[in-house]
Amino acid sequence: MKVSVIGCGYLGAVHAAAMAELGHEVVGIDVDQRKIDALAAGKAPFFEPGLPEILTSASASGRLTFSTDPAAAADATVHFIAVGTPQKPGSYSADMTYVDAAVDGLLPYLKDGDLVVGKSTVPVGTAARLAEKVKSAVPGADLAWNPEFLREGFAVKDTISPDRLVYGVSSDPAIAAASQAVLDEVYAKALSEDTPLVVTDYATAELVKVSANAFLATKISFINAIAEIADVTGANVTELADAIGFDARIGRRFLNAGIGFGGGCLPKDIRAFGARAEELGRGESLAFLKEVDSINLRRRQHVVDLTVDLLGGQAYNKRVAVLGLAFKPDSDDIRDSPALDIAVQLNGLGALVTATDPEAIGNAQAKHPQLHFVESIAEAVQGADIVLLLTEWKQYRGILPADIDGLVAGKTIVDGRNVLDSATWREAGWNYRAMGRP
Ligand SMILES: NC(=O)c1ccc[n+]([C@@H]2O[C@H](COP(=O)([O-])OP(=O)(O)OC[C@H]3O[C@@H](n4cnc5c(N)ncnc54)[C@H](O)[C@@H]3O)[C@@H](O)[C@H]2O)c1
């Protein structure tokens, strides 16, 4: 199929390359010239495992091109909208400016028979509104909503082999059938591998995405709330999570207590979902998401307070080593990263923060040049009064006391992700502190 992907960020760049890898002829379009130049040269503009490989092979096949010109979409018949929907400044709602601009920019090039496919995460009601817009500009074109569930760090695999597909289609059965036929062809490989498919209406498709993220955020904040109780009772939240996780109705995944969630999705999505519920006169239905959000934000404050406490009551002029800046391992994404937030807060309290991360230093430095960034664990912990492990990269999970014993000034470590073995560190003479674990 001839496909355009409008918006080539974390979602769109992977989607474009993966669609080409699957045999489609793809043009990726973005307003960011630097991103397009990099992608056109076969270079990934951000860190995502496996993306450089499929970019190279798709570009070599001649099936993948990039442009900043919306007119480049004219030859395609399927148009994915993958632009950002960040939190609107001064509000909890989603900023829909980019989605509207992307669709408006596409309209002059749409033809009868084309299908516009929304992938961005949007407030419920958006698809119906945009379908009207598309229909009134080009009566023979249609719109479907096909939310994306990829996880950064696994985005290539999740795009080529998704765990499910959701199509939100028109309420007109003939239009719905035509849209489904197009999407079935786009996703022929995944469907041939028996990927579960849910075909539904626009509102349900939009709500599936935000409900999934609301559920995941709630699960994380649930275990973090229990960690707060564990902290004051001497209980062990990790053992507790193991024990409750054996119940198949609960499940063990996403029950790791720590410094909370961040990134470009969960925080803004739960806020936008709550804001949309208020607009719909059902604010009380999602009021619990405010609690989920505040439990999550409290985790960052908890680590800052704990660090100050361990430093003897003040951070001023103390050397703090921060291991990890990305919001999660295997990503360079620092959007709303709890790790970076903690580093910045401690810096604001006068601590001398030296931070490292395998991939996110460039992004972190651009946003917070006041921090001191170094490339290696050894440089980060040199002379440190305290070490904070804040993103659970494989490299950091494997650290042993002997690796850094001789470098630090003080043997105190805060394991913000509960990934180190407490006994090993204590036996080596360290003051080891974790989240909700004695
Ligand atoms: N990142 C993820 O893991 C993920 C997963 C599922 C869903 N989503 C959703 O996908 C959407 C995109 O997220 P992202 O993380 O890729 O964001 P991003 O900020 O990385 O990428 C958005 C891109 O859109 C481009 N853009 C903005 N306006 C444009 C326009 N008018 N025309 C063309 N390009 C334009 C920007 O330059 C940017 O490159 C969001 O709604 C997000 O919630 C993201």
Side-chain angles (χ1 to χ4, degrees), residues 5-13 29-31 35 80-86 95-103 117-122 130 145 264 268 335:
V5 179
I6 302 167
C8 292
Y10 285 93
L11 188 166
I29 300 170
D30 201 290
V31 290
K35 228 173 244 183
F80 287 99
I81 306 295
V83 298
T85 48
D95 186 346
M96 296 304 292
T97 333
Y98 307 100
V99 169
D100 279 301
V103 172
V117 185
K119 286 208 87 63
S120 302
T121 304
V122 293
L130 294 177
W145 215 264
K268 61 104 173 151
R335 289 178 290 182

PDB file of all heavy atoms in Angstrom, residues 5-13 29-31 35 80-86 95-103 117-122 130 145 264 268 335:
ATOM      1  N   VAL A   5       2.947   8.843   6.703  1.00  0.00           N
ATOM      2  CA  VAL A   5       2.925   8.898   8.168  1.00  0.00           C
ATOM      3  C   VAL A   5       3.252  10.343   8.553  1.00  0.00           C
ATOM      4  O   VAL A   5       4.366  10.817   8.310  1.00  0.00           O
ATOM      5  CB  VAL A   5       3.946   7.927   8.799  1.00  0.00           C
ATOM      6  CG1 VAL A   5       3.920   8.036  10.322  1.00  0.00           C
ATOM      7  CG2 VAL A   5       3.658   6.488   8.377  1.00  0.00           C
ATOM      8  N   ILE A   6       2.270  11.038   9.101  1.00  0.00           N
ATOM      9  CA  ILE A   6       2.442  12.460   9.394  1.00  0.00           C
ATOM     10  C   ILE A   6       2.777  12.619  10.876  1.00  0.00           C
ATOM     11  O   ILE A   6       1.970  12.279  11.744  1.00  0.00           O
ATOM     12  CB  ILE A   6       1.182  13.244   8.987  1.00  0.00           C
ATOM     13  CG1 ILE A   6       0.933  12.989   7.483  1.00  0.00           C
ATOM     14  CG2 ILE A   6       1.338  14.732   9.289  1.00  0.00           C
ATOM     15  CD1 ILE A   6      -0.409  13.425   6.996  1.00  0.00           C
ATOM     16  N   GLY A   7       3.991  13.109  11.138  1.00  0.00           N
ATOM     17  CA  GLY A   7       4.533  13.143  12.503  1.00  0.00           C
ATOM     18  C   GLY A   7       5.528  12.010  12.641  1.00  0.00           C
ATOM     19  O   GLY A   7       5.148  10.836  12.626  1.00  0.00           O
ATOM     20  N   CYS A   8       6.824  12.346  12.704  1.00  0.00           N
ATOM     21  CA  CYS A   8       7.866  11.304  12.764  1.00  0.00           C
ATOM     22  C   CYS A   8       8.644  11.390  14.071  1.00  0.00           C
ATOM     23  O   CYS A   8       9.873  11.470  14.086  1.00  0.00           O
ATOM     24  CB  CYS A   8       8.793  11.404  11.562  1.00  0.00           C
ATOM     25  SG  CYS A   8       7.955  10.975  10.024  1.00  0.00           S
ATOM     26  N   GLY A   9       7.937  11.381  15.185  1.00  0.00           N
ATOM     27  CA  GLY A   9       8.572  11.332  16.493  1.00  0.00           C
ATOM     28  C   GLY A   9       8.738   9.896  16.942  1.00  0.00           C
ATOM     29  O   GLY A   9       8.878   8.981  16.112  1.00  0.00           O
ATOM     30  N   TYR A  10       8.705   9.670  18.255  1.00  0.00           N
ATOM     31  CA  TYR A  10       8.920   8.333  18.814  1.00  0.00           C
ATOM     32  C   TYR A  10       7.938   7.328  18.207  1.00  0.00           C
ATOM     33  O   TYR A  10       8.304   6.186  17.937  1.00  0.00           O
ATOM     34  CB  TYR A  10       8.787   8.359  20.333  1.00  0.00           C
ATOM     35  CG  TYR A  10       9.990   8.976  21.026  1.00  0.00           C
ATOM     36  CD1 TYR A  10      10.025  10.325  21.358  1.00  0.00           C
ATOM     37  CD2 TYR A  10      11.104   8.200  21.335  1.00  0.00           C
ATOM     38  CE1 TYR A  10      11.130  10.890  21.989  1.00  0.00           C
ATOM     39  CE2 TYR A  10      12.213   8.747  21.963  1.00  0.00           C
ATOM     40  CZ  TYR A  10      12.225  10.092  22.293  1.00  0.00           C
ATOM     41  OH  TYR A  10      13.317  10.635  22.905  1.00  0.00           O
ATOM     42  N   LEU A  11       6.705   7.743  18.012  1.00  0.00           N
ATOM     43  CA  LEU A  11       5.725   6.827  17.409  1.00  0.00           C
ATOM     44  C   LEU A  11       5.886   6.772  15.883  1.00  0.00           C
ATOM     45  O   LEU A  11       6.048   5.710  15.295  1.00  0.00           O
ATOM     46  CB  LEU A  11       4.309   7.287  17.779  1.00  0.00           C
ATOM     47  CG  LEU A  11       3.116   6.374  17.411  1.00  0.00           C
ATOM     48  CD1 LEU A  11       1.880   6.828  18.161  1.00  0.00           C
ATOM     49  CD2 LEU A  11       2.807   6.331  15.949  1.00  0.00           C
ATOM     50  N   GLY A  12       5.821   7.950  15.248  1.00  0.00           N
ATOM     51  CA  GLY A  12       5.712   8.006  13.790  1.00  0.00           C
ATOM     52  C   GLY A  12       6.940   7.491  13.052  1.00  0.00           C
ATOM     53  O   GLY A  12       6.799   6.819  12.027  1.00  0.00           O
ATOM     54  N   ALA A  13       8.137   7.801  13.543  1.00  0.00           N
ATOM     55  CA  ALA A  13       9.344   7.351  12.834  1.00  0.00           C
ATOM     56  C   ALA A  13       9.411   5.827  12.831  1.00  0.00           C
ATOM     57  O   ALA A  13       9.738   5.202  11.805  1.00  0.00           O
ATOM     58  CB  ALA A  13      10.600   7.938  13.490  1.00  0.00           C
ATOM     59  N   ILE A  29       6.386  12.262   7.034  1.00  0.00           N
ATOM     60  CA  ILE A  29       6.331  13.722   6.922  1.00  0.00           C
ATOM     61  C   ILE A  29       6.390  14.336   8.317  1.00  0.00           C
ATOM     62  O   ILE A  29       5.698  13.879   9.233  1.00  0.00           O
ATOM     63  CB  ILE A  29       5.028  14.159   6.206  1.00  0.00           C
ATOM     64  CG1 ILE A  29       4.996  13.553   4.790  1.00  0.00           C
ATOM     65  CG2 ILE A  29       4.894  15.684   6.163  1.00  0.00           C
ATOM     66  CD1 ILE A  29       3.670  13.714   4.081  1.00  0.00           C
ATOM     67  N   ASP A  30       7.241  15.345   8.471  1.00  0.00           N
ATOM     68  CA  ASP A  30       7.322  16.039   9.766  1.00  0.00           C
ATOM     69  C   ASP A  30       7.683  17.497   9.504  1.00  0.00           C
ATOM     70  O   ASP A  30       8.336  17.811   8.496  1.00  0.00           O
ATOM     71  CB  ASP A  30       8.386  15.379  10.667  1.00  0.00           C
ATOM     72  CG  ASP A  30       8.173  15.685  12.145  1.00  0.00           C
ATOM     73  OD1 ASP A  30       8.381  16.859  12.548  1.00  0.00           O
ATOM     74  OD2 ASP A  30       7.797  14.764  12.900  1.00  0.00           O
ATOM     75  N   VAL A  31       7.280  18.380  10.421  1.00  0.00           N
ATOM     76  CA  VAL A  31       7.610  19.803  10.271  1.00  0.00           C
ATOM     77  C   VAL A  31       9.042  20.103  10.741  1.00  0.00           C
ATOM     78  O   VAL A  31       9.561  21.183  10.485  1.00  0.00           O
ATOM     79  CB  VAL A  31       6.626  20.696  11.077  1.00  0.00           C
ATOM     80  CG1 VAL A  31       5.241  20.684  10.438  1.00  0.00           C
ATOM     81  CG2 VAL A  31       6.545  20.249  12.543  1.00  0.00           C
ATOM     82  N   LYS A  35      14.873  16.527  12.057  1.00  0.00           N
ATOM     83  CA  LYS A  35      14.454  15.131  12.182  1.00  0.00           C
ATOM     84  C   LYS A  35      14.360  14.485  10.789  1.00  0.00           C
ATOM     85  O   LYS A  35      14.827  13.361  10.574  1.00  0.00           O
ATOM     86  CB  LYS A  35      13.075  15.109  12.843  1.00  0.00           C
ATOM     87  CG  LYS A  35      12.954  14.127  13.981  1.00  0.00           C
ATOM     88  CD  LYS A  35      11.635  14.279  14.694  1.00  0.00           C
ATOM     89  CE  LYS A  35      11.857  14.724  16.117  1.00  0.00           C
ATOM     90  NZ  LYS A  35      10.630  14.823  16.901  1.00  0.00           N
ATOM     91  N   PHE A  80      -1.459   8.037   8.029  1.00  0.00           N
ATOM     92  CA  PHE A  80      -1.446   7.909   9.496  1.00  0.00           C
ATOM     93  C   PHE A  80      -1.135   9.263  10.138  1.00  0.00           C
ATOM     94  O   PHE A  80      -0.164   9.922   9.741  1.00  0.00           O
ATOM     95  CB  PHE A  80      -0.390   6.897   9.929  1.00  0.00           C
ATOM     96  CG  PHE A  80      -0.775   5.475   9.634  1.00  0.00           C
ATOM     97  CD1 PHE A  80      -0.298   4.821   8.517  1.00  0.00           C
ATOM     98  CD2 PHE A  80      -1.641   4.791  10.481  1.00  0.00           C
ATOM     99  CE1 PHE A  80      -0.662   3.515   8.238  1.00  0.00           C
ATOM    100  CE2 PHE A  80      -2.015   3.481  10.226  1.00  0.00           C
ATOM    101  CZ  PHE A  80      -1.523   2.833   9.097  1.00  0.00           C
ATOM    102  N   ILE A  81      -1.931   9.631  11.124  1.00  0.00           N
ATOM    103  CA  ILE A  81      -1.679  10.858  11.889  1.00  0.00           C
ATOM    104  C   ILE A  81      -0.984  10.445  13.184  1.00  0.00           C
ATOM    105  O   ILE A  81      -1.585   9.776  14.031  1.00  0.00           O
ATOM    106  CB  ILE A  81      -2.996  11.607  12.210  1.00  0.00           C
ATOM    107  CG1 ILE A  81      -3.802  11.881  10.934  1.00  0.00           C
ATOM    108  CG2 ILE A  81      -2.711  12.897  12.984  1.00  0.00           C
ATOM    109  CD1 ILE A  81      -3.160  12.820   9.941  1.00  0.00           C
ATOM    110  N   ALA A  82       0.293  10.837  13.311  1.00  0.00           N
ATOM    111  CA  ALA A  82       1.099  10.385  14.465  1.00  0.00           C
ATOM    112  C   ALA A  82       1.776  11.563  15.160  1.00  0.00           C
ATOM    113  O   ALA A  82       2.840  11.411  15.743  1.00  0.00           O
ATOM    114  CB  ALA A  82       2.133   9.360  13.988  1.00  0.00           C
ATOM    115  N   VAL A  83       1.154  12.731  15.100  1.00  0.00           N
ATOM    116  CA  VAL A  83       1.762  13.912  15.733  1.00  0.00           C
ATOM    117  C   VAL A  83       1.491  13.905  17.234  1.00  0.00           C
ATOM    118  O   VAL A  83       0.664  13.137  17.725  1.00  0.00           O
ATOM    119  CB  VAL A  83       1.244  15.225  15.091  1.00  0.00           C
ATOM    120  CG1 VAL A  83       1.620  15.283  13.618  1.00  0.00           C
ATOM    121  CG2 VAL A  83      -0.261  15.375  15.270  1.00  0.00           C
ATOM    122  N   GLY A  84       2.162  14.785  17.941  1.00  0.00           N
ATOM    123  CA  GLY A  84       2.073  14.817  19.400  1.00  0.00           C
ATOM    124  C   GLY A  84       0.751  15.399  19.900  1.00  0.00           C
ATOM    125  O   GLY A  84       0.107  16.203  19.214  1.00  0.00           O
ATOM    126  N   THR A  85       0.367  14.955  21.108  1.00  0.00           N
ATOM    127  CA  THR A  85      -0.796  15.527  21.803  1.00  0.00           C
ATOM    128  C   THR A  85      -0.367  15.822  23.240  1.00  0.00           C
ATOM    129  O   THR A  85      -0.828  15.169  24.176  1.00  0.00           O
ATOM    130  CB  THR A  85      -2.002  14.558  21.783  1.00  0.00           C
ATOM    131  OG1 THR A  85      -1.549  13.243  22.173  1.00  0.00           O
ATOM    132  CG2 THR A  85      -2.628  14.471  20.416  1.00  0.00           C
ATOM    133  N   PRO A  86       0.555  16.777  23.407  1.00  0.00           N
ATOM    134  CA  PRO A  86       1.088  17.030  24.752  1.00  0.00           C
ATOM    135  C   PRO A  86       0.059  17.717  25.649  1.00  0.00           C
ATOM    136  O   PRO A  86      -1.031  18.067  25.195  1.00  0.00           O
ATOM    137  CB  PRO A  86       2.255  17.981  24.471  1.00  0.00           C
ATOM    138  CG  PRO A  86       1.904  18.674  23.199  1.00  0.00           C
ATOM    139  CD  PRO A  86       1.099  17.694  22.398  1.00  0.00           C
ATOM    140  N   ASP A  95      -3.329  19.116  24.177  1.00  0.00           N
ATOM    141  CA  ASP A  95      -3.188  20.186  23.186  1.00  0.00           C
ATOM    142  C   ASP A  95      -3.407  19.570  21.805  1.00  0.00           C
ATOM    143  O   ASP A  95      -2.578  18.797  21.321  1.00  0.00           O
ATOM    144  CB  ASP A  95      -1.780  20.781  23.297  1.00  0.00           C
ATOM    145  CG  ASP A  95      -1.603  21.997  22.396  1.00  0.00           C
ATOM    146  OD1 ASP A  95      -2.465  22.202  21.512  1.00  0.00           O
ATOM    147  OD2 ASP A  95      -0.604  22.710  22.573  1.00  0.00           O
ATOM    148  N   MET A  96      -4.526  19.929  21.192  1.00  0.00           N
ATOM    149  CA  MET A  96      -4.902  19.306  19.916  1.00  0.00           C
ATOM    150  C   MET A  96      -4.424  20.111  18.694  1.00  0.00           C
ATOM    151  O   MET A  96      -4.752  19.769  17.556  1.00  0.00           O
ATOM    152  CB  MET A  96      -6.422  19.132  19.858  1.00  0.00           C
ATOM    153  CG  MET A  96      -6.945  18.168  20.911  1.00  0.00           C
ATOM    154  SD  MET A  96      -6.148  16.563  20.788  1.00  0.00           S
ATOM    155  CE  MET A  96      -6.818  16.036  19.219  1.00  0.00           C
ATOM    156  N   THR A  97      -3.641  21.162  18.951  1.00  0.00           N
ATOM    157  CA  THR A  97      -3.191  22.023  17.855  1.00  0.00           C
ATOM    158  C   THR A  97      -2.478  21.232  16.758  1.00  0.00           C
ATOM    159  O   THR A  97      -2.680  21.480  15.565  1.00  0.00           O
ATOM    160  CB  THR A  97      -2.162  23.062  18.382  1.00  0.00           C
ATOM    161  OG1 THR A  97      -2.407  23.296  19.739  1.00  0.00           O
ATOM    162  CG2 THR A  97      -2.219  24.345  17.621  1.00  0.00           C
ATOM    163  N   TYR A  98      -1.622  20.289  17.183  1.00  0.00           N
ATOM    164  CA  TYR A  98      -0.782  19.587  16.192  1.00  0.00           C
ATOM    165  C   TYR A  98      -1.618  18.619  15.351  1.00  0.00           C
ATOM    166  O   TYR A  98      -1.402  18.488  14.151  1.00  0.00           O
ATOM    167  CB  TYR A  98       0.369  18.854  16.896  1.00  0.00           C
ATOM    168  CG  TYR A  98       1.154  19.769  17.800  1.00  0.00           C
ATOM    169  CD1 TYR A  98       0.931  19.788  19.176  1.00  0.00           C
ATOM    170  CD2 TYR A  98       2.085  20.661  17.269  1.00  0.00           C
ATOM    171  CE1 TYR A  98       1.621  20.661  20.005  1.00  0.00           C
ATOM    172  CE2 TYR A  98       2.781  21.547  18.092  1.00  0.00           C
ATOM    173  CZ  TYR A  98       2.544  21.537  19.462  1.00  0.00           C
ATOM    174  OH  TYR A  98       3.213  22.410  20.275  1.00  0.00           O
ATOM    175  N   VAL A  99      -2.565  17.947  16.004  1.00  0.00           N
ATOM    176  CA  VAL A  99      -3.428  17.016  15.264  1.00  0.00           C
ATOM    177  C   VAL A  99      -4.254  17.800  14.244  1.00  0.00           C
ATOM    178  O   VAL A  99      -4.354  17.415  13.070  1.00  0.00           O
ATOM    179  CB  VAL A  99      -4.348  16.229  16.234  1.00  0.00           C
ATOM    180  CG1 VAL A  99      -5.414  15.464  15.457  1.00  0.00           C
ATOM    181  CG2 VAL A  99      -3.533  15.265  17.090  1.00  0.00           C
ATOM    182  N   ASP A 100      -4.826  18.904  14.685  1.00  0.00           N
ATOM    183  CA  ASP A 100      -5.645  19.698  13.759  1.00  0.00           C
ATOM    184  C   ASP A 100      -4.807  20.238  12.608  1.00  0.00           C
ATOM    185  O   ASP A 100      -5.231  20.207  11.449  1.00  0.00           O
ATOM    186  CB  ASP A 100      -6.358  20.823  14.513  1.00  0.00           C
ATOM    187  CG  ASP A 100      -7.605  20.294  15.214  1.00  0.00           C
ATOM    188  OD1 ASP A 100      -8.488  19.768  14.521  1.00  0.00           O
ATOM    189  OD2 ASP A 100      -7.670  20.360  16.461  1.00  0.00           O
ATOM    190  N   ALA A 101      -3.602  20.712  12.942  1.00  0.00           N
ATOM    191  CA  ALA A 101      -2.735  21.259  11.881  1.00  0.00           C
ATOM    192  C   ALA A 101      -2.352  20.158  10.891  1.00  0.00           C
ATOM    193  O   ALA A 101      -2.307  20.383   9.676  1.00  0.00           O
ATOM    194  CB  ALA A 101      -1.481  21.888  12.494  1.00  0.00           C
ATOM    195  N   ALA A 102      -2.091  18.947  11.412  1.00  0.00           N
ATOM    196  CA  ALA A 102      -1.687  17.839  10.532  1.00  0.00           C
ATOM    197  C   ALA A 102      -2.830  17.483   9.584  1.00  0.00           C
ATOM    198  O   ALA A 102      -2.619  17.288   8.379  1.00  0.00           O
ATOM    199  CB  ALA A 102      -1.270  16.625  11.361  1.00  0.00           C
ATOM    200  N   VAL A 103      -4.052  17.405  10.122  1.00  0.00           N
ATOM    201  CA  VAL A 103      -5.195  17.050   9.272  1.00  0.00           C
ATOM    202  C   VAL A 103      -5.480  18.180   8.285  1.00  0.00           C
ATOM    203  O   VAL A 103      -5.671  17.930   7.080  1.00  0.00           O
ATOM    204  CB  VAL A 103      -6.442  16.712  10.136  1.00  0.00           C
ATOM    205  CG1 VAL A 103      -7.674  16.526   9.262  1.00  0.00           C
ATOM    206  CG2 VAL A 103      -6.177  15.452  10.959  1.00  0.00           C
ATOM    207  N   VAL A 117      -5.934   7.760   9.039  1.00  0.00           N
ATOM    208  CA  VAL A 117      -5.941   6.847  10.190  1.00  0.00           C
ATOM    209  C   VAL A 117      -5.278   7.530  11.384  1.00  0.00           C
ATOM    210  O   VAL A 117      -4.073   7.791  11.371  1.00  0.00           O
ATOM    211  CB  VAL A 117      -5.178   5.540   9.861  1.00  0.00           C
ATOM    212  CG1 VAL A 117      -5.292   4.553  11.023  1.00  0.00           C
ATOM    213  CG2 VAL A 117      -5.696   4.917   8.580  1.00  0.00           C
ATOM    214  N   GLY A 118      -6.059   7.824  12.398  1.00  0.00           N
ATOM    215  CA  GLY A 118      -5.514   8.470  13.591  1.00  0.00           C
ATOM    216  C   GLY A 118      -4.790   7.470  14.465  1.00  0.00           C
ATOM    217  O   GLY A 118      -5.313   6.390  14.767  1.00  0.00           O
ATOM    218  N   LYS A 119      -3.542   7.803  14.857  1.00  0.00           N
ATOM    219  CA  LYS A 119      -2.791   6.961  15.792  1.00  0.00           C
ATOM    220  C   LYS A 119      -2.484   7.713  17.087  1.00  0.00           C
ATOM    221  O   LYS A 119      -2.225   7.097  18.121  1.00  0.00           O
ATOM    222  CB  LYS A 119      -1.457   6.499  15.166  1.00  0.00           C
ATOM    223  CG  LYS A 119      -1.642   5.432  14.124  1.00  0.00           C
ATOM    224  CD  LYS A 119      -0.451   4.514  13.991  1.00  0.00           C
ATOM    225  CE  LYS A 119      -0.468   3.352  14.938  1.00  0.00           C
ATOM    226  NZ  LYS A 119      -1.574   2.412  14.769  1.00  0.00           N
ATOM    227  N   SER A 120      -2.469   9.039  17.017  1.00  0.00           N
ATOM    228  CA  SER A 120      -2.166   9.832  18.209  1.00  0.00           C
ATOM    229  C   SER A 120      -3.194   9.519  19.296  1.00  0.00           C
ATOM    230  O   SER A 120      -4.309   9.098  18.995  1.00  0.00           O
ATOM    231  CB  SER A 120      -2.235  11.325  17.883  1.00  0.00           C
ATOM    232  OG  SER A 120      -1.333  11.633  16.839  1.00  0.00           O
ATOM    233  N   THR A 121      -2.803   9.735  20.553  1.00  0.00           N
ATOM    234  CA  THR A 121      -3.717   9.523  21.681  1.00  0.00           C
ATOM    235  C   THR A 121      -4.525  10.799  21.882  1.00  0.00           C
ATOM    236  O   THR A 121      -3.940  11.860  22.130  1.00  0.00           O
ATOM    237  CB  THR A 121      -2.909   9.179  22.946  1.00  0.00           C
ATOM    238  OG1 THR A 121      -2.105   8.037  22.650  1.00  0.00           O
ATOM    239  CG2 THR A 121      -3.819   8.878  24.115  1.00  0.00           C
ATOM    240  N   VAL A 122      -5.845  10.690  21.755  1.00  0.00           N
ATOM    241  CA  VAL A 122      -6.673  11.912  21.711  1.00  0.00           C
ATOM    242  C   VAL A 122      -7.863  11.823  22.658  1.00  0.00           C
ATOM    243  O   VAL A 122      -8.287  10.731  23.036  1.00  0.00           O
ATOM    244  CB  VAL A 122      -7.203  12.135  20.268  1.00  0.00           C
ATOM    245  CG1 VAL A 122      -6.053  12.454  19.315  1.00  0.00           C
ATOM    246  CG2 VAL A 122      -8.001  10.940  19.773  1.00  0.00           C
ATOM    247  N   LEU A 130     -13.042  14.933  13.525  1.00  0.00           N
ATOM    248  CA  LEU A 130     -12.135  14.957  12.369  1.00  0.00           C
ATOM    249  C   LEU A 130     -12.753  14.250  11.161  1.00  0.00           C
ATOM    250  O   LEU A 130     -12.499  14.637  10.017  1.00  0.00           O
ATOM    251  CB  LEU A 130     -10.789  14.319  12.730  1.00  0.00           C
ATOM    252  CG  LEU A 130      -9.956  15.071  13.780  1.00  0.00           C
ATOM    253  CD1 LEU A 130      -8.682  14.305  14.093  1.00  0.00           C
ATOM    254  CD2 LEU A 130      -9.621  16.492  13.322  1.00  0.00           C
ATOM    255  N   TRP A 145      -9.898   5.346  13.500  1.00  0.00           N
ATOM    256  CA  TRP A 145      -8.980   5.583  14.625  1.00  0.00           C
ATOM    257  C   TRP A 145      -8.354   4.263  15.029  1.00  0.00           C
ATOM    258  O   TRP A 145      -9.054   3.283  15.264  1.00  0.00           O
ATOM    259  CB  TRP A 145      -9.672   6.261  15.823  1.00  0.00           C
ATOM    260  CG  TRP A 145      -8.667   7.181  16.443  1.00  0.00           C
ATOM    261  CD1 TRP A 145      -7.868   6.924  17.502  1.00  0.00           C
ATOM    262  CD2 TRP A 145      -8.307   8.482  15.962  1.00  0.00           C
ATOM    263  NE1 TRP A 145      -7.025   7.990  17.714  1.00  0.00           N
ATOM    264  CE2 TRP A 145      -7.270   8.954  16.789  1.00  0.00           C
ATOM    265  CE3 TRP A 145      -8.737   9.288  14.900  1.00  0.00           C
ATOM    266  CZ2 TRP A 145      -6.672  10.199  16.599  1.00  0.00           C
ATOM    267  CZ3 TRP A 145      -8.143  10.524  14.716  1.00  0.00           C
ATOM    268  CH2 TRP A 145      -7.126  10.962  15.564  1.00  0.00           C
ATOM    269  N   GLY A 264       6.363  10.535  27.914  1.00  0.00           N
ATOM    270  CA  GLY A 264       5.499  11.385  27.091  1.00  0.00           C
ATOM    271  C   GLY A 264       4.071  10.890  27.015  1.00  0.00           C
ATOM    272  O   GLY A 264       3.282  11.450  26.249  1.00  0.00           O
ATOM    273  N   LYS A 268       0.597  12.698  30.968  1.00  0.00           N
ATOM    274  CA  LYS A 268      -0.303  13.625  30.267  1.00  0.00           C
ATOM    275  C   LYS A 268      -1.601  12.935  29.869  1.00  0.00           C
ATOM    276  O   LYS A 268      -2.653  13.568  29.797  1.00  0.00           O
ATOM    277  CB  LYS A 268       0.394  14.301  29.080  1.00  0.00           C
ATOM    278  CG  LYS A 268       0.910  13.377  27.979  1.00  0.00           C
ATOM    279  CD  LYS A 268       0.047  13.389  26.735  1.00  0.00           C
ATOM    280  CE  LYS A 268       0.667  12.592  25.610  1.00  0.00           C
ATOM    281  NZ  LYS A 268      -0.280  12.010  24.686  1.00  0.00           N
ATOM    282  N   ARG A 335      11.008  13.098  28.630  1.00  0.00           N
ATOM    283  CA  ARG A 335       9.772  13.841  28.895  1.00  0.00           C
ATOM    284  C   ARG A 335       9.202  13.411  30.248  1.00  0.00           C
ATOM    285  O   ARG A 335       8.995  12.239  30.499  1.00  0.00           O
ATOM    286  CB  ARG A 335       8.758  13.601  27.766  1.00  0.00           C
ATOM    287  CG  ARG A 335       9.162  14.283  26.476  1.00  0.00           C
ATOM    288  CD  ARG A 335       8.188  14.002  25.358  1.00  0.00           C
ATOM    289  NE  ARG A 335       8.256  12.621  24.902  1.00  0.00           N
ATOM    290  CZ  ARG A 335       7.524  12.135  23.889  1.00  0.00           C
ATOM    291  NH1 ARG A 335       6.669  12.902  23.258  1.00  0.00           N
ATOM    292  NH2 ARG A 335       7.656  10.875  23.523  1.00  0.00           N
TER     293      ARG A 335
END
